[in-house]
Amino acid sequence: MAKEIKLLGTWASPFSHRIELALKLKGLQFHYLEEDLSNKSQLLLQSNPVHRKIPVLIHNGNPISESLVIMEYIDETWQHQNPLLPKDPYARAVARFWAKFIDEKVINDVLWTAFKAYNDKGKEQEDAIEEFSQQLKFLEGELKGKEYFGGERFGFVDIAAFFILQFLTVLQEVKEAELMTEEKYPVLFEWMEKLQGNEVVAGCLPPREKHVAYVRARRAAAEEAASKTKAA
Amino acid sequence: MAKEIKLLGTWASPFSHRIELALKLKGLQFHYLEEDLSNKSQLLLQSNPVHRKIPVLIHNGNPISESLVIMEYIDETWQHQNPLLPKDPYARAVARFWAKFIDEKVINDVLWTAFKAYNDKGKEQEDAIEEFSQQLKFLEGELKGKEYFGGERFGFVDIAAFFILQFLTVLQEVKEAELMTEEKYPVLFEWMEKLQGNEVVAGCLPPREKHVAYVRARRAAAEEAASKTKAA
């Protein structure tokens, strides 16, 4: 069965790494196929014709898109190996709520805004960073008093949140902005340290230097494009 | 157990009506509490401190927010009564994909944009309507050849999509815009007719005249606010 799992992803996408981590936590072998997003493969376009985005998991020829949907699929298909969601329906609902919150409020609404505004040292960036900090406080509160978001076990919400570990801190380094400090988020920082010490989790992250260089190059390209637009 | 289910909602919200419909399809009795969104109750603010939004389901004192998360909870808690999601993990993933697509691409990204642009007869509105029509085509394609989105049974995705039946057509009537025509979406129209003939589904919708008057009044208020902003 293991040979029938394919993951279409890109090395710098936190959404790909979620799926990689979920598969590894289940102890599954899979074929990883790196996508070039500037020249998407036919397999990607056929597998996700609606969004044309990674990650896509293909299991026994069946394609599944959207990282949280894929994570649910993996958990249901291999339910007896290291469960990601808790058993109790209410605890499951709480986990789904926070995973959705991370995608919609932390990443989509705020993080991209804070990042897009790289070229703007003014109010838009300040507002985005302030809003980001508010949303992160909710996560800090949810984690307080627990080992992991999943309680005593690393689980579904931890996978959704683990982009913080590197993707967020790389962004912070490249932007030279304080998106997140240990003083403000001691609980999240302790959790991050725990994750850094976890071989499976850390093994899903790309080399940090390569990642920083990549984000720096993208930022420079975006700045150049923005200054050309201004000049035109 | 039935007496321990509370639903906090508002009568004109398609997201409330999803939960009402899911509970009724499960044959459950519940207390419906109408919220005044201009003066939210303490119960709502305490139950959903993160988003402060309806719908909220409170079951045995445990609050759950986000309509799709609530629908999953209802399906898992009362799993033997009229299942909403299919059993097979892949079919479940496909249903979750489409429900998410409806929320993010059809409602959030496009429908609100098309609606917000009420005051703009120009390009922004045209683009939003064109984009909406593209997204609706994906739904038309998914439904083709099936009785319901759930196959032979009315299910999870049907509940997510049933806002089309009235909320969308009311919007269309008030805007005097063609968001959706039978010629372009014959499969969706046939499905809508089937739903109109279904007592449980139709019983969840507010009286159409009241709904039209409400949306018309909101639109007029928004237009007035916009013209004041322009004049200022």
Side-chain angles (χ1 to χ4, degrees), chain A residues 48-51 62-66 69 72-73 76-77 89-90 92-93 96-98 100-101 103-105 138, chain B residues 48-51 62-66 69 72-73 76-77 89-90 92-93 96-98 100-101 103-105 138:
Chain A
N48 187 1
V50 174
H51 303 297
N62 291 324
I64 308 152
S65 306
E66 298 281 355
V69 174
E72 295 249 12
Y73 175 81
E76 288 185 343
T77 302
Y90 184 65
R92 291 166 76 85
R96 288 186 179 118
F97 173 87
W98 285 111
K100 192 170 157 69
F101 171 82
D103 270 15
E104 293 178 6
K105 292 291 153 187
F138 282 120
Chain B
N48 187 3
V50 174
H51 302 297
N62 290 325
I64 308 152
S65 305
E66 298 281 357
V69 174
E72 295 248 12
Y73 175 80
E76 288 185 344
T77 302
Y90 184 65
R92 292 166 77 85
R96 289 186 178 119
F97 173 88
W98 285 111
K100 192 170 159 67
F101 171 82
D103 270 15
E104 293 177 7
K105 291 292 155 185
F138 282 120

Side-chain angles (χ1 to χ4, degrees), chain B residues 63-208:
Chain B
I64 308 152
S65 305
E66 298 281 357
S67 66
L68 297 184
V69 174
I70 300 172
M71 281 159 58
E72 295 248 12
Y73 175 80
I74 291 172
D75 205 31
E76 288 185 344
T77 302
W78 295 279
Q79 54 185 293
H80 301 299
Q81 296 154 246
N82 199 3
L84 306 177
L85 279 169
K87 271 198 176 167
D88 169 65
Y90 184 65
R92 292 166 77 85
V94 171
R96 289 186 178 119
F97 173 88
W98 285 111
K100 192 170 159 67
F101 171 82
I102 288 167
D103 270 15
E104 293 177 7
K105 291 292 155 185
V106 181
I107 301 182
N108 250 1
D109 281 9
V110 198
L111 186 61
W112 295 159
T113 311
F115 185 51
K116 272 183 194 157
Y118 59 85
N119 215 12
D120 176 4
K121 298 284 177 199
K123 193 146 171 25
E124 192 188 343
Q125 171 154 312
E126 270 172 36
D127 287 354
I129 291 177
E130 173 56 27
E131 173 70 17
F132 181 75
S133 135
Q134 294 298 323
Q135 304 297 353
L136 225 50
K137 283 228 174 95
F138 282 120
L139 282 189
E140 177 90 358
E142 173 60 17
L143 188 57
K144 205 168 179 177
K146 298 197 290 193
E147 276 287 298
Y148 296 104
F149 285 101
E152 288 175 16
R153 297 169 54 88
F154 183 95
F156 198 83
V157 181
D158 295 280
I159 299 177
F162 105 109
F163 79 95
I164 293 176
L165 191 59
Q166 178 157 316
F167 302 90
L168 177 64
T169 58
V170 163
L171 214 57
Q172 185 165 258
E173 182 177 336
V174 172
K175 276 177 67 72
E176 298 167 16
E178 273 196 357
L179 286 172
M180 194 179 168
T181 61
E182 187 165 358
E183 291 67 39
K184 264 176 115 169
Y185 308 101
V187 179
L188 279 168
F189 264 77
E190 205 182 308
W191 171 84
M192 282 166 69
E193 271 174 21
K194 230 172 289 168
L195 265 52
Q196 262 146 356
N198 179 316
E199 262 185 43
V200 182
V201 177
C204 287
L205 296 173
R208 191 174 170 95

Side-chain angles (χ1 to χ4, degrees), chain A residues 164-227:
Chain A
I164 293 176
L165 191 58
Q166 177 158 317
F167 302 90
L168 178 62
T169 57
V170 164
L171 215 55
Q172 187 165 257
E173 182 177 335
V174 173
K175 275 176 69 71
E176 296 167 19
E178 272 195 358
L179 286 171
M180 194 179 170
T181 60
E182 187 165 358
E183 292 68 41
K184 263 177 116 169
Y185 308 101
V187 179
L188 279 169
F189 264 75
E190 207 182 307
W191 171 84
M192 281 164 69
E193 271 173 23
K194 230 172 288 168
L195 265 52
Q196 262 145 357
N198 180 317
E199 264 184 41
V200 182
V201 176
C204 287
L205 297 173
R208 191 174 171 95
E209 284 314 300
K210 181 183 173 189
H211 200 175
V212 169
Y214 171 78
V215 174
R216 210 182 286 285
R218 275 190 57 189
R219 191 195 178 203
E223 273 182 348
E224 201 186 318
S227 72

